[in-house]
Amino acid sequence: MTITAKSGNDDLMTTNEIQLVALDVDGTLVDHDGLMSDGVREAAAAVVESGRDVIIATGRSLGATLPIVEKIGMTRGYCVCSNGGVTLRIDTSLPDGYEVLTRVVFDPAPALRALRERLPTAKYALEDDEGKFLSTERFQDASFGAEAKAVDFEQMLEATAVRVVVFSTDSTAEEFGDAVRSIGLHGVTYSVGWTAWLDIAAAGVTKASALEELRRHLDVDPSRTLAMGDGRNDIEMLGWAAQGVAMGQAPQEVMDAATAVTETVYDDGAALVLRSLLRDGRVESDDAESADMDD
């Protein structure tokens, strides 16, 4: 199993010890069936135990993120949920074990109207400013972390949103992406997922924007940051980090945004990177590993 440094990124082997580690969940820590391997769980828990600032950075909403926090043994720290729309502080001494630091909201009506006109058969869900979910056509997904309340489309237009999700069963991911781009959404940030799935947040809000706020709060030097992910919603985050590691199954455009590529989620690629951090604070490429063996 290997971690491959991208061409022209030789500094990957000599970067200062990593202090802040941002981890995507689906496709990185867990596979697409929602399962976390023992190897990934143990490696993530060891990095948490090492005292580094481990931040979960996910498209999942709050309720679906907390089980991951518990699984890897986080009792202190931060989570970026809803693709940057919600930031949590984890503290098991608090009554709920966490507190919401920020919810970045926006008016979803213009985007929803434009999408409805172009994608009339799509399903729509919305996370509101209280963390509740509203949906059309009884649309539910595990990433919501809560059961969505069925509403009509007009009610959804009146809500204040942290996140809007659009899912089409009538299009391929490529067709869906083309349709979304043709709409020309304004005043929001969006990313198209693996399937015909769209996440919308407030303008300028991404995992990277929320992570940068936390990096400054924690006073971590930018050179000591690492992020790992596999989806298009991770592109900004991988570019933000000094070391951005793409999973082996990631789309090419995600790999292009990274400084290194690890194995797939099914080959415990995340564990490989996390164990590398525990060895010497660096992500090693094949060449670096070979040199160490020769020595």
Side-chain angles (χ1 to χ4, degrees), residues 1-7 9-10 12-13 259-263 272-273 276 279 282-294:
M1 298 176 69
T2 60
I3 306 167
T4 305
K6 301 284 289 299
S7 176
N9 286 297
D10 293 338
L12 192 68
M13 283 90 72
T259 53
V261 178
T262 187
E263 298 287 336
L272 185 63
V273 173
S276 180
R279 282 199 296 274
R282 299 175 299 172
V283 175
E284 298 175 343
S285 73
D286 298 342
D287 292 341
E289 288 176 350
S290 298
D292 288 345
M293 291 173 65
D294 290 341

Side-chain angles (χ1 to χ4, degrees), residues 142-158:
S143 73
F144 299 168
E147 185 172 352
K149 177 184 177 182
V151 298
D152 62 39
F153 191 75
E154 293 303 315
Q155 284 179 271
M156 195 171 288
L157 294 175
E158 298 172 0

Side-chain angles (χ1 to χ4, degrees), residues 207-228:
K207 293 182 182 183
S209 67
L211 285 167
E212 177 60 14
E213 291 291 328
L214 290 174
R215 183 196 67 76
R216 293 180 181 181
H217 172 72
L218 294 166
D219 196 25
V220 175
D221 190 275
S223 68
R224 302 183 69 188
T225 57
L226 178 144
M228 185 160 38

Side-chain angles (χ1 to χ4, degrees), residues 91-103:
D91 184 344
T92 52
S93 70
L94 296 172
D96 293 326
Y98 69 90
E99 63 174 334
V100 176
L101 297 181
T102 61
R103 278 193 172 101

